[in-house]
């Protein structure tokens, strides 16, 4: 009952659009989701509960991609590349969500139906990203040098936010990600 919704419908660089939403938010927390997610009824309530943990400045949770949408992601569509990605970049961190490898590759475990982890993480999942508004603004917000689909602008903000407190992954703050092969997917190739 006590929330506002800011819907950004303009087209443009995602980092600038997300930053516009952040700067226009009046609440203590700002939550970012994408247009291709489905949120369970308790999702927002669980995010707020998680923010009550001491020192938490960012909350994320599972971004489960169900079987019918899994092959809309190249990394899952081409199983060989997924195995190679995990082997080359993640070095055993494949069963932990929100973790970055030493070379900066993000874990993809938050997309798995079996993800039940709760605890500290390195970054917030971009389609299920919640931040303390003031801290995110004080950290500099989203970096506008990330253009078009703005891949990595969320990870960049996450890394800056860690100076202000803890980033937390809550298995209870999960949503369902339904990636399509339209819109941003096509822009990624550019």
């Amino acid at each position: 009952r006590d929330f506002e919704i800011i819907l950004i419908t303009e087209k443009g660089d995602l980092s600038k659009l997300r930053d516009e939403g952040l700067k226009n938010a009046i609440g203590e927390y700002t939550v970012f989701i994408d247009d291709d997610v489905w949120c369970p009824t308790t999702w927002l309530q669980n995010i707020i509960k998680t923010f009550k943990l001491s020192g938490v400045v960012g909350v994320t949770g599972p971004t489960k991609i169900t079987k019918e949408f899994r092959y809309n992601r190249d990394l899952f569509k081409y199983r060989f590349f997924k195995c190679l990605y995990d082997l080359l970049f993640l070095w055993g961190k494949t069963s932990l969500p929100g973790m970055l490898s030493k070379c900066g590759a993000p874990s993809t475990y938050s997309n798995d139906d079996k993800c039940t982890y709760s605890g500290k993480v390195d970054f917030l999942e971009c389609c299920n990203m919640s931040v303390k508004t003031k801290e995110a603004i004080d950290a500099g917000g989203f970096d506008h040098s990330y253009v078009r689909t703005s891949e990595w602008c969320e990870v960049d903000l996450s890394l800056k936010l860690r100076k202000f407190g803890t980033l937390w992954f809550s298995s209870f703050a999960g949503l369902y990600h339904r990636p399509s092969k339209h819109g941003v997917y096509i822009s990624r190739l550019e």
Side-chain angles (χ1 to χ4, degrees):
R1 297 176 196 197
D2 188 18
F3 62 88
E4 70 173 331
I5 295 175
I6 299 173
L7 179 62
I8 307 289
T9 58
E10 294 87 15
K11 291 186 178 185
D13 295 337
L14 188 58
S15 60
K16 290 179 183 175
L17 298 174
R18 286 187 184 264
D19 216 35
E20 181 182 335
L22 177 64
K23 289 178 179 164
N24 283 303
I26 59 172
E28 182 178 357
Y29 313 112
T30 303
V31 179
F32 298 93
I33 59 172
D34 292 350
D35 60 356
D36 58 359
V37 301
W38 176 84
C39 305
T41 56
T42 59
W43 166 77
L44 189 56
Q45 178 182 357
N46 286 320
I47 288 171
I48 301 306
K49 277 186 194 175
T50 306
F51 269 117
K52 302 299 181 195
L53 298 173
S54 178
V56 171
V57 295
V59 176
T60 193
T63 55
K64 296 177 182 183
I65 301 177
T66 57
K67 189 175 182 177
E68 66 185 292
F69 293 97
R70 212 155 178 77
Y71 293 115
N72 288 351
R73 271 278 167 89
D74 289 339
L75 197 56
F76 297 110
K77 182 176 183 178
Y78 303 105
R79 194 166 179 79
F80 170 77
F81 290 115
K82 171 74 167 99
C83 292
L84 187 61
Y85 176 87
D86 290 348
L87 180 68
L88 290 175
F89 298 113
L90 298 178
W91 304 308
K93 288 189 174 186
T94 57
S95 63
L96 292 174
M99 298 295 175
L100 294 170
S101 70
K102 289 183 181 180
C103 69
S107 164
T108 59
Y109 190 61
S110 74
N111 299 143
D112 198 299
D113 279 338
K114 298 176 189 110
C115 181
T116 58
Y117 175 79
S118 286
K120 292 180 182 181
V121 290
D122 295 333
F123 71 95
L124 304 171
E125 298 291 335
C126 61
C127 68
N128 189 6
M129 179 178 192
S130 304
V131 297
K132 282 195 169 180
T133 307
K134 181 186 180 319
E135 285 79 349
I137 291 171
D138 289 349
F142 292 96
D143 186 338
H144 297 189
S145 66
Y146 293 94
V147 295
R148 295 192 181 207
T149 61
S150 304
E151 299 288 333
W152 295 93
C153 75
E154 299 91 350
V155 174
D156 177 71
L157 178 56
S158 297
L159 295 175
K160 294 186 291 188
L161 262 177
R162 291 191 322 184
K163 295 175 185 169
F164 293 86
T166 302
L167 304 180
W168 197 268
F169 190 97
S170 170
S171 62
F172 300 107
L175 51 72
Y176 293 92
H177 190 192
R178 299 171 171 177
S180 73
K181 288 195 168 193
H182 307 298
V184 171
Y185 179 86
I186 293 168
S187 299
R188 282 188 170 141
L189 299 176
E190 295 175 10

